[in-house]
Amino acid sequence: MLLSLALWAWIGYRFLLDDDRGLFASAEGGRTLVGILALAVIPTIITAATLVYARVLFRLARTAG
């Protein structure tokens, strides 16, 4: 989860808060950033699936016991 947050924060900084360019201006190495954004989606999905799975198992354990 921390890896996901770090990657999304870095992408947000590069695209939204970088002061040398205008808002949403094309960046040097934009393809690299899009690739990293795609890689940031993978741990985000894994984290979300793990959290949902844990909540479902917790509810099942609570109702069974």
Side-chain angles (χ1 to χ4, degrees):
M1 187 164 93
L2 293 175
L3 175 62
S4 299
L5 291 174
L7 285 171
W8 284 107
W10 185 64
I11 293 294
Y13 170 75
R14 291 286 297 164
F15 276 117
L16 299 176
L17 300 176
D18 199 3
D19 290 335
D20 341 2
R21 307 178 272 119
L23 188 63
F24 295 114
S26 63
E28 296 175 16
R31 289 183 185 213
T32 304
L33 289 175
V34 170
I36 292 173
L37 178 62
L39 289 176
V41 169
I42 295 169
T44 303
I45 291 172
I46 291 171
T47 301
T50 302
L51 290 173
V52 169
Y53 185 66
R55 287 181 182 167
V56 168
L57 285 179
F58 179 73
R59 286 185 183 171
L60 286 174
R62 198 169 38 169
T63 59

